[in-house]
Each structure stands twice: as C-alpha cells, then as structure tokens.
Amino acid sequence: MDEKQVYEIGFHIVPTVAEEKLGDEVSVIRNAVEQGGGIVISEEFPKMRDLTYVMQKYIDTKKVSYEKAYFGWIKFEGAPELAQEIKKSADEHPQVLRYLLIKTIRENSLLTKPKERVEREEKKDDVSETKVKGKIDEETIDESIEELVIE
C-alpha cells in the first residue's frame, strides 16, 4: 500500500478565458484531484497576473504568446499515482498555459506572525552588517512570495 503524500500544483491559465468561465477551468484540475481519491487541503483561486516574461503555447497549430495569465494553486494529499494523473490532466488541459507540480508539506509554510525585517548592507571591507528595518506584516511577505513565484 502506497503512503499518501502532500502535493501542490501551481498553474497559469491563459488570459483568453472569460472571468465567469474561470471556475470551470479550475474545476477540471480540482475534479482530477478529487476523482483520483485526493483530498484538497487548501487552494487559491486564480488571479490575473503580469508574467515576468512572455510565455508561448501552441493552440491548434499556431504559437500564441501571452504576457498575462491567471495564476492559482491547489494543495492536496494523495497517492503518488495521483500526482501522475494530475500531471497528465494538466498536460492535456488546453487552457493551462504552464504548471508546476511539487511534493510539499501539509503545514502552511508562510509566516503567520510579523517578524523583524533584516537587511544586510555590505561594508567596504566586504563584511556584511545586519540592520533591523522594522516589522514585516503578512501582506509584505505575501507580496514578496508572489514576486518570487511569478519569476
């Protein structure tokens, strides 16, 4: 018997999907998780984002370029075979521009308490000095993570 793992799929959906139809596109991925025996732990409904670089996808026989896309994610628990099924489903989904499927942990990895912001400055003798710049709130952390995810 295979032990269950926790996975997360982050995905971009092409911007040509109308906002009112976006739920249907997300349901394709969510249903693949649930029908495969997976349990959704958490998710974020896709939001339109500017892409760091132009992404291309073949639609029929034409290469289409995108500068924006909807980005969302779903964290779920399931057998390793389920991850392969989700990968296949995302590969075949015509509205998915790109995705990333990773093994992760159940716990939320974002910091929940404000932490002091530490900034390093280089001195002339190449020794770094640590300076406290004040508190970082959850919104600042979320923005930083979003910038990293988009890159």
Side-chain angles (χ1 to χ4, degrees), residues 78-145:
E81 296 79 29
L82 176 59
Q84 292 302 316
E85 292 173 30
I86 301 303
K87 181 182 181 321
K88 182 179 178 193
S89 178
D91 284 338
E92 294 172 352
H93 192 317
Q95 303 304 334
V96 172
L97 177 59
R98 189 166 288 170
Y99 69 92
L100 178 65
L101 179 63
I102 60 170
K103 233 189 256 190
T104 187
I105 59 173
R106 177 177 289 280
E107 292 78 24
N108 188 351
S109 56
L110 294 178
L111 299 174
T112 55
K113 295 180 184 176
K115 298 285 181 187
E116 289 191 41
R117 183 175 179 180
V118 176
E119 192 172 289
R120 300 195 184 277
E121 292 182 4
E122 294 298 319
K123 287 179 144 187
K124 289 181 184 176
D125 59 358
D126 291 337
V127 176
S128 54
E129 179 181 309
T130 302
K131 289 192 174 188
V132 176
K133 289 293 218 180
K135 299 279 184 185
I136 293 183
D137 59 11
E138 191 169 314
E139 183 178 331
T140 305
I141 293 169
D142 288 345
E143 289 173 4
S144 297
I145 290 171

Side-chain angles (χ1 to χ4, degrees), residues 15 51 54-57 62-68 97:
L51 300 173
V54 175
M55 290 187 191
Q56 298 177 332
K57 178 176 177 106
K62 185 179 177 190
K63 189 189 288 188
V64 182
S65 298
Y66 298 101
E67 295 179 2
K68 294 182 177 209
L97 177 59

Side-chain angles (χ1 to χ4, degrees), residues 14-33:
V14 294
T16 54
V17 172
E19 275 195 55
E20 58 271 8
K21 298 286 184 187
L22 194 54
D24 296 339
E25 302 303 332
V26 174
S27 291
V28 171
I29 298 170
R30 194 173 210 287
N31 290 341
V33 169

